[in-house]
Amino acid sequence: MRMVNFRAVLLSAASMCLGPGAAFAANLSNTCSRGPETRVIEVLTPGKVGQACDLNVIRDNGAYRSTPY
């Protein structure tokens, strides 16, 4: 099982949004699991909440979806 550092994912997502490639549409998705819990983190460019990109967090088999920024 592969462990993913949530902060590292957020930093890489932020660098994607702020980098020179932010002018075109792109999506990045990463799945992290630990025990029975699985989360999907998506970076959606361009964003609807944020101008450059949005960050979606999905858990509980899709029952919970949050776009904090």
Side-chain angles (χ1 to χ4, degrees), residues 16-52:
M16 281 183 49
C17 292
L18 298 175
F24 62 90
N27 293 334
L28 171 70
S29 179
N30 197 2
T31 302
C32 355
S33 298
R34 183 173 189 182
E37 186 174 339
T38 300
R39 292 184 183 189
V40 178
I41 301 165
E42 300 174 328
V43 179
L44 307 172
T45 305
K48 293 181 181 178
V49 175
Q51 291 180 356

Side-chain angles (χ1 to χ4, degrees), residues 3-13 30 32 39-42 55-58 68-69:
M3 299 299 295
V4 176
N5 183 335
F6 188 67
R7 286 186 186 165
V9 172
L10 288 177
L11 288 174
S12 65
N30 197 2
C32 355
R39 292 184 183 189
V40 178
I41 301 165
E42 300 174 328
L55 177 69
N56 280 336
V57 178
I58 305 163
Y69 46 91

